[in-house]
Amino acid sequence: MLQEIPRTEAVPDIPQITTREAEAMVRAVIRLFEKWQVSDADAREILGGLAARTYARWKAGELGRIDRDLATRLSLLMGIHKGLRYLFSDPERGYTWVKKPNQAFGGRTPVEVMAQGDIFSLARVRAYLDAERGGW
């Protein structure tokens, strides 16, 4: 028998990313970086210059405070992952796409663009994928 699932409000009462959501995104991004075969140094730059010690703790499952900037970066990375899953039916193709040179990025790889460290580089890769899939 079918049962209706409670609906999520279109405009949530708390528009910010919650601590629990941010922590879940950290765990997902750590796994995503493994799938993408991103070096720890690049991963830390993508995350805004995260300290090596902090990143090592994250990988060990010890999560600390996640500020707004970091939560936004995590959200952008989840959007990039989602865009790749929409574009490629084979997940492996999406995982390897981030390491392939792309003319849209001046011949650089998406990882190289994201590892520039600024949040706009993450947004640029996300916007590119959204445009490719017709999302915007």
Side-chain angles (χ1 to χ4, degrees), residues 51-103:
R53 189 175 195 158
T54 301
Y55 189 65
R57 284 187 190 134
W58 278 21
K59 288 175 72 173
E62 300 171 33
L63 309 179
R65 191 177 81 75
I66 300 166
D67 64 20
R68 185 184 315 179
D69 177 80
L70 198 46
T72 302
R73 288 171 185 275
L74 294 167
S75 177
L76 285 165
L77 287 162
M78 291 289 88
I80 290 166
H81 175 59
K82 178 182 82 171
L84 289 169
R85 293 305 298 265
Y86 280 137
L87 283 173
F88 299 109
S89 58
D90 176 15
E92 241 0 89
R93 287 188 64 205
Y95 298 144
T96 59
W97 178 86
V98 297
K99 297 292 273 274
K100 292 185 178 179
N102 190 314
Q103 286 307 112

Side-chain angles (χ1 to χ4, degrees), residues 5-66:
I5 297 172
R7 298 174 191 257
T8 303
E9 293 294 322
V11 180
D13 292 335
I14 304 170
Q16 298 90 359
I17 296 169
T18 67
T19 301
R20 287 186 60 209
E21 290 168 334
E23 289 172 351
M25 285 191 295
V26 166
R27 291 187 296 274
V29 164
I30 295 295
R31 286 192 303 274
L32 185 60
F33 285 160
E34 290 171 4
K35 296 279 190 181
W36 287 353
Q37 297 179 2
V38 173
S39 70
D40 285 358
D42 282 344
R44 292 192 333 264
E45 284 304 314
I46 291 169
L47 294 169
L50 200 64
R53 189 175 195 158
T54 301
Y55 189 65
R57 284 187 190 134
W58 278 21
K59 288 175 72 173
E62 300 171 33
L63 309 179
R65 191 177 81 75
I66 300 166

